[in-house]
Amino acid sequence: MSRDKTPFGLALRGLAAREKGTLGAHPSLDEWAVYQEGKVAAEEAERLRDHLARCPKCTQLLMEWMSFAGPVPPEGARPIPKGEVEAAWKALRPQLQFPAGESATQPTTLVESPAPTLELPSRVTSAPAHRQPAAAGMPPRRRVPYWLPQTLAAVFFLTTVGLGIQVVKQRSVSLEGQPGLEAGFPVLDLHPMGSEERGGEPEDGPQPLFSDSTYQLFLHPDDPGSFSSYRYVVVEAEDPKQTIKETESPTTGDTFTLLVRKDEYPPGHYRVLLYGVRSGRENLIDQFEFKVKKR
Amino acid sequence: MDLSTEEGFQEAFELYFDRVYYFFRRQGFRGDVSHDLTQETFLRVFKSRDTFRGESRLDTWIFQIARNVGLNEVRSWGTQKREGAEVSLEDEAGFPLPIPDAMVPEPLDRVLEDERARKLRDALNELPPQMRRCVELRLYQDLKYKEIAALLDISIDTVKAHLFQARQQLREKLSDYFTDIEF
């Protein structure tokens, strides 16, 4: 018999329920944060510990706070490369609208940027200006040793021969000027399967190759803003009943961001079904497809 | 840190991005989901930045937003799977403690139950404060030694010693009422 179900265990739980109303006001999270840092006076710490011992709600809160305030990265985890944080910021930045005159940079300014080192097929077009990420205000590039570009190019060549992602069936794909290429976090703009092609045989699209393990796809629905949230489902294109992944996100602008991790998607052909959710009902609004190539 | 300006917001983003990300990872979310949730958290931070007056700490404020984002994500899974009604925050926090019907005493037994509860509270109150807290966290909340030690900022060995001694003392004091004091 577990200790919870013994007469003693039941009596303790009954006692806890009886005394629930005697706990008094719950300390604020700020108080718990200061307590956790060991910066409260001894008497105050005793009061907080007494509350904690009898309050599962505050215990839960404090344990989660300790998880948040714990060491970063946790033991055994890899630190997040600075480039990924920068890429995440660039992905988020277009969704933030700061009051005029307070912006340090002009994120919507279209800045001509050199073509990425990837060789792109001819169908690739530039994204619309309003979807271009910030380029002005970027810190100047640092000087690098003369041998570094050649080394990186060689590594890049060797790794991309085997692994890549092939994006097909979309109306347009833009890599030019996207932040991920600089930040080591490839960004693809996927537009819906074009209305011209929809229902017909899709054309083969461009086949950019990457060496990185994570891709960030910006999905641009045709009809943004008219739904309270989006839900996407990634299925195998050849067998749509095989769901690989699904999630829901509030609409936050005219894009929906999808992360694709190499290890989640074995080589194959995938379809992203994007649903708009309105009044609890889902409407299939767009489809996107991509392929992960064999190593 | 002025969140109303792009510079200030970006500074906060860069300062707390990994902390929020690893918070979600520690909560058991996969890496890509944690990344999405981190982005969602900062989007909400941005949208509600006008409500942050600096009266509370920025890190606790961001944490609370992240916590809600995580709870909503878990809820959305349940909703998508059509597995039943939404679970309230109170329930998710494990409070109030559920008492199955079978555990509710009959009216005639209630007097005896009250007596046992009173004796139990008296016996607990006679324990040294830190020992009593260890017992309460262990028995009321079913926490592990490691968790109790972290919450009370004491060593695991101290927790074990407190619980051992408390068991002995409670057995002595409550032998007329309970014969099964184990924890």
Side-chain angles (χ1 to χ4, degrees):
Chain A
M1 185 183 290
S2 78
R3 64 170 181 268
D4 287 351
K5 293 180 182 172
T6 63
F8 182 66
L10 293 178
L12 277 166
R13 292 197 157 235
L15 188 63
R18 286 164 189 240
E19 295 179 341
K20 187 182 73 175
T22 65
L23 279 171
H26 298 289
S28 70
L29 178 59
D30 281 353
E31 287 179 88
W32 287 123
V34 176
Y35 164 78
Q36 189 260 332
E37 290 164 353
K39 294 179 180 173
V40 293
E43 278 185 19
E44 177 66 1
E46 292 291 288
R47 182 184 75 82
L48 291 169
R49 287 184 183 125
D50 276 342
H51 183 96
L52 198 63
R54 291 163 58 190
C55 182
K57 197 172 184 178
C58 285
T59 298
Q60 175 84 15
L61 180 67
L62 179 55
M63 287 173 71
E64 288 186 30
W65 165 255
M66 289 165 74
S67 162
F68 180 84
V72 171
E75 191 176 345
R78 69 173 181 92
I80 299 176
K82 193 169 186 299
E84 281 191 27
V85 180
E86 289 174 358
W89 169 253
K90 288 175 181 175
L92 179 70
R93 178 60 187 86
Q95 302 176 61
L96 312 179
Q97 293 182 341
F98 291 94
E102 292 185 359
S103 176
T105 60
Q106 298 298 320
T108 56
T109 303
L110 177 60
V111 177
E112 291 296 331
S113 59
T117 52
L118 296 173
E119 190 169 340
L120 297 174
S122 57
R123 283 188 74 234
V124 172
T125 60
S126 296
H130 70 280
R131 286 174 181 158
Q132 293 289 341
M138 291 289 291
R141 288 171 181 265
R142 284 177 294 186
R143 283 182 172 275
V144 296
Y146 70 92
W147 48 266
L148 190 56
Q150 290 90 330
T151 306
L152 288 176
V155 172
F156 179 79
F157 174 77
L158 290 172
T159 52
T160 54
V161 164
L163 169 70
I165 185 171
Q166 181 182 25
V167 180
V168 297
K169 289 189 183 178
Q170 69 275 46
R171 190 164 56 211
S172 65
V173 172
S174 174
L175 298 174
E176 193 167 353
Q178 291 292 349
L181 294 173
E182 282 188 356
F185 201 70
V187 176
L188 296 184
D189 269 358
L190 290 191
H191 292 257
M193 295 161 66
S195 54
E196 304 86 9
E197 294 92 1
R198 199 168 287 169
E201 284 296 316
E203 297 175 15
D204 283 340
Q207 301 179 15
L209 297 173
F210 297 97
S211 59
D212 300 81
S213 60
T214 304
Y215 312 90
Q216 187 155 0
L217 310 184
F218 286 161
L219 311 184
H220 297 284
D222 271 347
D223 187 19
S226 58
F227 298 96
S228 58
S229 65
Y230 294 136
R231 189 169 80 90
Y232 78 76
V233 180
V234 182
V235 298
E236 288 186 6
E238 310 300 337
D239 183 6
K241 290 181 182 174
Q242 296 296 321
T243 300
I244 308 298
K245 182 180 176 182
E246 60 181 314
T247 193
E248 189 171 353
S249 172
T251 51
T252 52
D254 64 348
T255 61
F256 183 93
T257 306
L258 167 65
L259 283 180
V260 176
R261 287 177 57 87
K262 180 184 67 179
D263 53 3
E264 282 186 318
Y265 296 86
H269 188 179
Y270 300 95
R271 177 173 299 172
V272 184
L273 308 175
L274 187 61
Y275 296 87
V277 182
R278 183 192 294 133
S279 303
R281 300 191 59 168
E282 294 176 352
N283 305 280
L284 180 63
I285 54 176
D286 280 312
Q287 298 185 53
F288 311 82
E289 293 198 359
F290 63 91
K291 283 182 179 176
V292 178
K293 295 184 75 177
K294 290 179 182 174
R295 182 179 292 276
Chain B
M1 202 174 290
D2 184 358
L3 297 181
S4 66
T5 67
E6 181 174 349
E7 283 173 335
F9 193 86
Q10 185 175 358
E11 186 182 349
F13 180 88
E14 291 172 353
L15 189 60
Y16 292 111
F17 180 89
D18 53 357
R19 194 162 289 287
V20 175
Y21 172 82
Y22 284 116
F23 169 67
F24 288 124
R25 293 290 283 148
R26 285 174 170 128
Q27 297 285 307
F29 292 104
R30 284 190 331 219
D32 60 332
V33 177
S34 297
H35 194 286
D36 288 349
L37 295 179
T38 303
Q39 294 287 71
E40 175 63 23
T41 297
F42 281 103
L43 196 59
R44 291 199 193 184
V45 167
F46 178 79
K47 287 178 177 174
S48 56
R49 67 194 190 285
D50 291 342
T51 65
F52 179 68
R53 303 291 181 196
E55 292 160 358
S56 66
R57 295 164 43 147
L58 180 58
D59 54 355
T60 58
W61 186 63
I62 291 175
F63 160 75
Q64 285 174 304
I65 292 174
R67 191 171 187 250
N68 286 333
V69 167
L71 286 173
N72 286 343
E73 175 70 6
V74 172
R75 279 208 191 95
S76 76
W77 293 348
T79 304
Q80 283 174 26
K81 291 179 181 173
R82 313 280 194 270
E83 284 183 344
E86 288 190 13
V87 179
S88 75
L89 279 175
E90 293 276 291
D91 289 343
E92 287 181 15
F95 194 82
L97 296 171
I99 302 177
D101 290 343
M103 300 182 190
V104 178
E106 293 295 322
L108 291 176
D109 295 333
R110 195 155 288 174
V111 173
L112 178 59
E113 205 62 36
D114 287 347
E115 172 70 7
R116 278 153 62 113
R118 199 162 38 245
K119 289 290 179 188
L120 178 56
R121 170 45 65 200
D122 290 345
L124 287 172
N125 285 344
E126 286 173 19
L127 299 176
Q130 188 162 272
M131 188 184 294
R132 173 177 48 78
R133 291 180 201 122
C134 288
V135 173
E136 289 173 333
L137 287 169
R138 179 72 175 159
L139 294 176
Y140 288 176
Q141 305 189 33
D142 206 21
L143 298 187
K144 299 171 183 167
Y145 296 160
K146 182 181 172 185
E147 293 169 328
I148 296 170
L151 289 168
L152 299 181
D153 194 23
I154 56 180
S155 72
I156 294 177
D157 286 341
T158 302
V159 173
K160 287 179 182 173
H162 277 326
L163 289 175
F164 176 80
Q165 291 172 25
R167 192 160 49 237
Q168 304 298 323
Q169 293 186 33
L170 290 176
R171 279 176 180 163
E172 280 180 23
K173 289 173 183 167
L174 298 173
S175 58
D176 290 344
Y177 298 89
F178 302 98
T179 57
D180 57 350
I181 298 177
E182 291 295 339
F183 51 85

